[in-house]
Amino acid sequence: MTDHLPGRAASPDRDSRWAEVDAFFDEALGLEDEVLREVREATAAADLPGIEVSAAQARFLALLCRMVGARRVLEFGTLGGYSATSFARALGDDGEVVTFEIDPRHAEVARANLERAGVPDRVTVLMGPAAESAQGLIDSGAEPFDLVFIDADKPSNPRYVELALQLTRPGSVIVVDNVVRRGGVADSDSDDPGVLGSREVLQLLGGHPRLDATALQTVGAKGWDGFALARVR
C-alpha cells in the first residue's frame, strides 16, 4: 500500500521510526515468510519500483480475505505480483485471483514470481488498461468477486470503483489503496491528479447508496498514506 506521494514529507527521524516499528511487527508476528521475501527480492532485482504493499499490509489483506470467506479476488494493479501472491495463498487451492496489469514487463515479472511462489494456477494476469479489462469481465458475465483491491493509477480510482460494483455482490469488500497522499487528500486546492482522484473516490464511497465505507491513515515502512475500505450493500 504505497505510491509516489505528494504533500508535506515526514521527517527522516519519524520515517525511520515508522520503519523500525514495521520491522518489529514483521519479526514478532512472522509477517513475511521465505516465499513472500523471495517475491519481493525478485521484484527489486528486476528493477521494478518498490511500491508494493508492505508485509504488514499484505497480511492485513490476507486476513481480510479469510474473515469474509473470500474465494475470488479482483486486483487492479499487479506490479510484481506480491499482493497477488498473498491473496492466492490466503484463498487456498480452490481460490481464484484475477489481476490487471498494463505494463508488459511488470506482467512478465509477476508471472515468474507467481510461478516461484507455487500459485500460478490460482492467479490470472490480464494485460491491458484496467478499465478495459474490467469491462471485458462485465461483458462476459464473470462470477462476482468477494474482494476487490484497487491499487493502480489513482486518477482512475472513481471509475475503478464503479466497475468493481458491477463485479461484486452484497457483502463483497472493496479496498482502495493510497488515498491519503501524505496528507495531500485534505488539500482542496490541490491540482495533483493523484490527490484529485483520491478526493473524488472518497466522496464517491461516502455518498454511494450501495456502499458503507471508511478510510484509515497508515504509517510504516511505506511512509504516511492510507486506504479506504467499503462493503457492498
Side-chain angles (χ1 to χ4, degrees), residues 9-23:
S11 71
D13 288 345
R14 189 166 51 183
D15 270 350
S16 175
R17 291 295 287 169
W18 292 343
E20 288 172 7
V21 171
D22 260 8

Side-chain angles (χ1 to χ4, degrees), residues 5-80:
L5 305 173
R8 183 171 51 195
S11 71
D13 288 345
R14 189 166 51 183
D15 270 350
S16 175
R17 291 295 287 169
W18 292 343
E20 288 172 7
V21 171
D22 260 8
F24 171 70
F25 286 166
D26 191 357
E27 178 183 1
L29 299 171
L31 298 177
E32 188 172 67
D33 62 10
E34 183 177 352
V35 171
L36 287 174
R37 188 172 299 109
E38 287 181 357
V39 170
R40 188 187 298 280
E41 291 173 352
T43 300
D47 293 326
L48 269 61
I51 57 173
E52 70 277 350
V53 298
S54 70
Q57 292 161 349
R59 177 66 64 85
F60 168 79
L61 292 168
L63 287 172
L64 192 58
C65 283
R66 294 187 176 118
M67 288 172 180
V68 302
R71 305 308 324 148
R72 283 170 53 79
V73 168
L74 179 62
E75 178 181 56
F76 288 70
T78 312
L79 193 63

